[in-house]
Amino acid sequence: MTDHYAVIGNPVAHSLSPLVHTAFAQQTGQNISYIKLLSPLTDFAVTVRKFQTDGGCGVNVTVPFKEEAFRIADRHTERAMLAQAANTLVFTDTGILADNTDGAGLIIDLRQNLYFPLAHRRILLLGAGGAARGVMPSLLAELPSRLVIANRTRARAHTLQERFAIYGNVSACDYADLQNQQFDCVINATSTGLSGEYITLPDTLFAPGSLAYDMAYGKDPTPFLRFAQGHGAAQCADGLGMLVEQAAEAFHLWRKLRPQTQTVIDQLRSNSSNRA
Ligand code: ATR
């Protein structure tokens, strides 16, 4: 019996999730199929229900449906509750369970693949949209010395700051406020990694030994990573590792098995152009 899974998004053609999950399934001997499902923007819930009725076991959810995925679920993991967004749904006998594995994927990539633990470090998170919110709880759980959220629209950064202030030392600002500040880890969670736009950042942002991380991935470095390379970041990484690690977390939720990730990251390194 084949168990069926899908990634739902709009757009979704770019998604590498089918490649990742197929590689995990081969590696662990699991009999699953995994497809891309393009959902109409106004019909996400219908798309999920149909896939479930047709015998699906679960789905991954990508742009722009992560918040709606959270809302349509019957039960939520704690990390999905904190993010108020879901990237993984499990169809169970007692309804739909929503989880959010994005934050865990980012932290595992930073810690295990990039050897960059965040405890006691100064973190700058660029962006205050859904992608930023999804990883905030996991970043704060690592106990950084401070976490600054910088966003083009300052009010959105403040909203995030207010929401997560009880979990750590969080502050909010816009990009102009970053003058004369330095960080050990700068994470780009804006959509500029996809659109190719530049964010104007101070030249002196990167502390010695710092890591620049873009949650987007592609064949070429994003504008943010190009900026970081030229302005003192010691290490630069794109989001391919996060993509594979968040998928491994979802696979574990579905199949109760933990696949090896490094070989899959290496396999994908050659052909990618988007974000989880
Ligand atoms: P996502 O779910 O991918 O996070 P989103 O909620 O629309 O999508 O958020 C997009 C993020 O990218 C926001 O932080 C947005 O900044 P604003 O809140 O000011 O819109 C940021 N962003 C998009 N284009 C940008 C640009 N050209 N320069 C700087 N930030 C940009």
Side-chain angles (χ1 to χ4, degrees):
M1 268 275 287
T2 304
D3 288 336
H4 300 287
Y5 297 89
V7 55
I8 304 181
N10 186 334
V12 75
H14 65 270
S15 176
L16 296 180
S17 291
L19 286 178
V20 176
H21 282 279
T22 303
F24 288 166
Q26 279 168 358
Q27 191 196 105
T28 56
Q30 295 288 292
N31 185 5
I32 70 164
S33 75
Y34 190 110
I35 59 167
K36 296 175 198 175
L37 263 184
L38 177 69
S39 171
L41 288 173
T42 52
D43 268 339
F44 172 73
V46 174
T47 307
V48 172
R49 295 288 175 203
K50 182 166 187 320
F51 187 71
Q52 184 180 17
T53 310
D54 290 348
C57 299
V59 292
N60 284 135
V61 181
T62 187
V63 185
F65 298 124
K66 291 182 182 180
E67 278 138 3
E68 201 174 344
F70 177 84
R71 286 198 297 273
I72 67 162
D74 304 292
R75 291 180 294 123
H76 307 87
T77 61
E78 192 184 345
R79 55 194 185 183
M81 284 298 278
L82 284 168
Q84 297 280 298
N87 73 338
T88 306
L89 300 179
V90 193
F91 304 149
T92 74
D93 294 342
T94 52
I96 297 178
L97 171 69
D99 193 8
N100 193 320
T101 67
D102 283 334
L106 172 63
I107 298 301
I108 293 168
D109 192 33
L110 288 168
R111 215 195 280 148
Q112 290 180 15
N113 302 329
L114 300 167
Y115 308 106
F116 201 93
L118 295 177
H120 313 300
R121 310 255 193 159
R122 298 162 291 179
I123 304 177
L124 172 63
L125 183 63
L126 303 174
R133 197 179 61 219
V135 300
M136 279 283 296
S138 303
L139 290 174
L140 287 169
E142 295 300 296
L143 304 178
S145 63
R146 63 188 297 229
L147 195 164
V148 175
I149 309 158
N151 196 44
R152 179 176 60 180
T153 311
R154 185 200 287 251
R156 283 184 93 185
H158 274 288
T159 303
L160 264 197
Q161 186 249 332
E162 279 166 13
R163 184 177 164 74
F164 289 103
I166 55 166
Y167 300 108
N169 179 5
V170 188
S171 53
C173 63
D174 63 24
Y175 298 130
D177 290 335
L178 293 172
Q179 289 294 345
N180 304 319
Q181 298 199 55
Q182 282 208 319
F183 296 90
D184 305 303
C185 178
V186 183
I187 299 169
N188 183 23
T190 73
S191 49
T192 59
L194 302 177
S195 65
E197 293 166 290
Y198 271 91
I199 304 173
T200 305
L201 297 168
D203 291 353
T204 50
L205 204 56
F206 296 95
S210 60
L211 168 72
Y213 192 100
D214 201 318
M215 283 166 56
Y217 54 83
K219 283 197 189 73
D220 303 314
T222 62
F224 166 70
L225 290 181
R226 283 204 297 275
F227 174 85
Q229 276 161 0
H231 293 88
Q235 199 181 349
C236 291
D238 69 12
L240 192 68
M242 175 179 169
L243 169 83
V244 175
E245 298 297 349
Q246 64 77 29
E249 288 281 301
F251 191 87
H252 179 252
L253 192 70
W254 290 331
R255 312 303 301 179
K256 311 290 177 235
L257 288 167
R258 239 169 233 295
Q260 284 186 355
T261 50
Q262 191 58 56
T263 47
V264 181
I265 294 172
D266 293 344
Q267 274 169 26
L268 293 179
R269 199 39 87 189
S270 53
N271 65 334
S272 55
S273 63
N274 268 291
R275 192 174 64 183

